[in-house]
Amino acid sequence: LAGTHVVVSAGGTREPIDAVRVIANRSSGKQGYAIAAEAAARGAQVTLVSTVELPVPAGVVVRAVETAAQMQAALTELAPHAQVVVMAAAVADFRPVAAATGKLKKDQGVPQIVLEPTPDILAGLGATKPAGQVLVGFAAETSDLLANAQGKLERKRLDLVVANDVSAPGVGFQHDTN
């Protein structure tokens, strides 16, 4: 992969509810970091857009982000210049419309949290993919694995999709079997 710029995303985005709480998912980032490490070991110039703090693989440049909007901004900047984009991150599908500026207190009662969709980063990358770029997506599914992965491949204009049955024992988030 010498001379190839590879952009990899890793981890799960965290969408603030208040100053201390977030909506998140179970993504550890291990898979994205492993992909980044392998691409770098094969000679690629690798940029890793990550929401987690794991040991940085040798030769990899990390761009730290937290939210879906921050990840979208980083990938919108980096992806057009990459030959390969691997979207291994698990982006939250929803975020609070408005996050509280301070910590919500239990004695104030149960808050009403109104959600809105986050940007579909992968669909955006597929829609603006430069000619010749390879775009890889991931489908973490709990049912209809192949049909859902195939649908994602087609809808989001991917070149490759990795289908993970995260409901199977020992597979999915935080496991080494993917």
Side-chain angles (χ1 to χ4, degrees), residues 29 32-34 36-38 40 46-50 52-64:
Y33 274 71
E38 185 63 27
V46 180
T47 305
L48 180 61
V49 179
S50 178
V52 295
E53 293 181 21
L54 293 173
V56 178
V60 173
V61 175
V62 175
R63 174 86 61 98

Side-chain angles (χ1 to χ4, degrees), residues 133-164:
Q133 183 182 75
V134 175
L135 180 59
V136 181
F138 286 72
E141 301 291 343
T142 58
S143 64
D144 298 323
L145 178 67
L146 296 179
N148 286 330
Q150 181 69 34
K152 187 175 220 176
L153 178 81
E154 294 166 3
R155 279 189 324 277
K156 300 190 183 197
R157 299 188 58 228
L158 307 179
D159 298 292
L160 178 70
V161 67
V162 179
N164 279 329

Side-chain angles (χ1 to χ4, degrees), residues 49-173:
V49 179
S50 178
T51 65
V52 295
E53 293 181 21
L54 293 173
V56 178
V60 173
V61 175
V62 175
R63 174 86 61 98
V65 298
E66 182 174 347
T67 67
Q70 292 167 350
M71 182 170 282
Q72 180 184 39
L75 289 168
T76 298
E77 175 191 334
L78 296 167
H81 312 289
Q83 286 78 41
V84 178
V85 176
V86 180
M87 189 67 184
V91 179
D93 291 329
F94 304 98
R95 65 180 170 217
V97 170
T101 55
K103 179 182 175 185
L104 296 172
K105 297 291 197 174
K106 192 181 288 187
D107 61 3
Q108 296 171 333
V110 178
Q112 295 297 313
I113 302 171
V114 179
L115 301 178
E116 66 183 0
T118 59
D120 188 332
I121 298 170
L122 189 55
L125 293 173
T128 60
K129 178 174 63 168
Q133 183 182 75
V134 175
L135 180 59
V136 181
F138 286 72
E141 301 291 343
T142 58
S143 64
D144 298 323
L145 178 67
L146 296 179
N148 286 330
Q150 181 69 34
K152 187 175 220 176
L153 178 81
E154 294 166 3
R155 279 189 324 277
K156 300 190 183 197
R157 299 188 58 228
L158 307 179
D159 298 292
L160 178 70
V161 67
V162 179
N164 279 329
D165 181 354
V166 296
S167 68
V171 177
F173 302 121

Side-chain angles (χ1 to χ4, degrees), residues 6-58:
V6 177
V7 173
V8 180
S9 67
T13 60
R14 297 182 298 271
E15 307 301 326
I17 294 171
D18 66 12
V20 297
R21 294 174 187 87
V22 296
I23 293 176
N25 60 56
R26 297 178 183 187
S27 178
S28 65
K30 289 169 61 172
Q31 190 162 262
Y33 274 71
I35 291 166
E38 185 63 27
R42 292 177 183 229
Q45 172 197 347
V46 180
T47 305
L48 180 61
V49 179
S50 178
T51 65
V52 295
E53 293 181 21
L54 293 173
V56 178

